[in-house]
Every structure is written in C-alpha cells, then in structure tokens.
Amino acid sequence: MADASADDIRALRHEYAAGGLVEADLAPDPVTMFGRWFAEARDSGIHEPNAMVVATVTPSGQPSSRFVLLKGYGDDGFRFFTNTASRKGEDLAAEPRCALLFPWHPLERQVRVEGVATPLPPADVAAYFAVRPRGSQLGAWASHQSRVVTGREELAASYDEVEARFADLPDDAVPVPEEWGGYLVRPEVVEFWQGRPGRMHDRLVYRRSADSTDPGGPGGWTTERLAP
C-alpha cells in the first residue's frame, strides 16, 4: 500500500543560506569554538539551546538516543545529569563511548561530539542536585527512569509519597537518590556543521591528536574539512 503522505514529505525542503564556516573562523580548540556557537544559540532565543541528543549503544550493538540538557562544559568535556539506572545509564556503564548532537535548526547549525563518558564525582552531583527545582528533585526520587509502570496513577502516587517524606526539608537538604548521578563526556571528535545553499554544507571537524595529553588545549587538536 502506497504511503499517502510520501509526496508531501519528499517536497519538504529548505534552502540553507544563513551563513558559512571557513577554516579561518575556527578557534584553536573545539571547546572554545563550541562556546562561541553556544552563546550565539542562546542569544538568538532558541528554545532550550542546551538541549542535546545523547546516543548510546548496548554491548550487543543496539543503539538508542534521547534528548537531555547540557549542564556544563569546559576543557575537560561536556556534563549532564540523569538517572544512572536508566537505559542510557546501563548503556554507558557497559560501553562508555557515546555521541552528542546539538541541533540548532533556526541557525542552520549543528554540533556533533564523539567521546567517552565517565561518572561525575558524588560531590559534583550533590552540588548540582541541591540547586535543582524542588519538583525536579522529587521527580528524581519518584521516577525509576526507564522502568515499566502500570500507569500514570502509579507515578502520581510515588510522587505524593516522596513529597510527604521530604515535606520538612528545605530544597538544598533533599538528598540525592542513590540511582541519580552525572556524566562527563570527554570529546575525541567535534564537528561543526553549517548549512549552505545547494546542500554544499560546511563541515569542519576537530580530532584529538593521538599523542595528546592535553585535555583540550590548542596543541591537542587537528582540524579537517569533510564533504557534505
């Protein structure tokens, strides 16, 4: 049976012409370059510019991806927080290699990161958890992410129970759930993609030097251009 929407989908296209990216535009290292683009994405008014896709893989090779929020970046890598017993947490425990994607469509840009994730220290996790909104703190306790539940009522009852349990505690005293934590993704490859007319997009890639011991300095990276 033919897909009735196929023609409409094939006709969906947009000519990218907002800008370009040449080698002279690049910063000495990808973290500095990311900072420039992230500031432009934030200042442009894009909804949740720190939203990124995290792609993981199981030991058997089954990939999966989902959106999470970036909560920090620096020369050492990109940070995010989540339930470590979730599917992504189980994937990363078995295979720490992962990929990140920042899809800044209104700017006709994307940033792709390939790297290795390591758990953040408990002190870093606790410091961030203490400043989360109270609802998010309680939700982290109430929801055992990726587990099967009988329905929304089960989740609501779990939330109500947690809300009552911690009712007398101020926000910064709600403890961190045992299965909640964070990750630092140390980048090995970072690609900056800028849409161009005729699908002749600019793709400039930083690759960490094989002998680099610098976590992100100018001397630790090589760059190259990829065909679109």
Side-chain angles (χ1 to χ4, degrees):
M1 180 177 177
D3 183 349
S5 65
D7 290 340
D8 291 338
I9 293 175
R10 286 196 294 264
L12 291 174
R13 58 176 55 87
H14 174 77
E15 187 67 31
Y16 299 125
L21 181 65
V22 296
E23 284 76 358
D25 296 329
L26 294 179
D29 66 272
V31 174
T32 301
M33 186 67 188
F34 178 85
R36 292 178 186 173
W37 272 28
F38 182 79
E40 292 175 12
R42 180 192 57 214
D43 294 345
S44 74
I46 290 176
H47 178 65
E48 292 194 320
N50 59 326
M52 63 182 185
V53 178
V54 176
T56 59
V57 65
T58 65
S60 64
Q62 177 62 50
S64 63
S65 60
R66 74 290 287 163
F67 272 109
V68 304
L69 296 178
L70 176 74
K71 289 300 179 179
Y73 67 91
D75 288 344
D76 55 349
F78 300 84
R79 299 173 187 81
F80 69 95
F81 297 86
T82 188
N83 186 306
T84 58
S86 64
R87 176 171 178 177
K88 72 177 95 52
E90 292 179 346
D91 284 356
L92 292 173
E95 175 48 81
R97 288 176 296 178
C98 61
L100 312 176
L101 171 66
F102 295 85
W104 295 323
H105 302 300
L107 298 180
E108 301 175 357
R109 288 176 173 176
Q110 59 180 312
V111 179
R112 298 175 57 249
V113 179
E114 298 173 17
V116 177
T118 56
L120 287 170
D124 291 1
V125 173
Y128 173 69
F129 193 81
V131 299
R132 296 188 90 202
R134 189 176 186 86
S136 297
Q137 292 177 333
L138 299 180
W141 274 96
S143 174
H144 301 289
Q145 195 176 104
S146 301
R147 317 289 173 81
V148 175
V149 294
T150 58
R152 184 176 291 176
E153 295 79 8
E154 180 183 338
L155 291 172
S158 179
Y159 189 93
D160 290 344
E161 186 276 325
V162 168
E163 188 173 36
R165 191 195 319 173
F166 298 125
D168 296 332
L169 293 181
D171 296 351
D172 60 0
V174 176
V176 180
E178 184 177 345
E179 62 184 27
W180 198 86
Y183 296 92
L184 172 70
V185 178
R186 182 179 187 266
E188 300 294 336
V189 179
V190 185
E191 176 183 328
F192 292 85
W193 183 101
Q194 176 74 62
R196 295 287 291 147
R199 298 299 189 258
M200 297 298 288
H201 312 306
D202 289 323
R203 298 178 61 190
L204 297 183
V205 181
Y206 292 83
R207 297 187 187 276
R208 191 181 293 276
S209 301
D211 59 350
S212 173
T213 57
D214 187 339
W221 300 93
T222 60
T223 60
E224 58 191 8
R225 177 179 286 271
L226 302 181

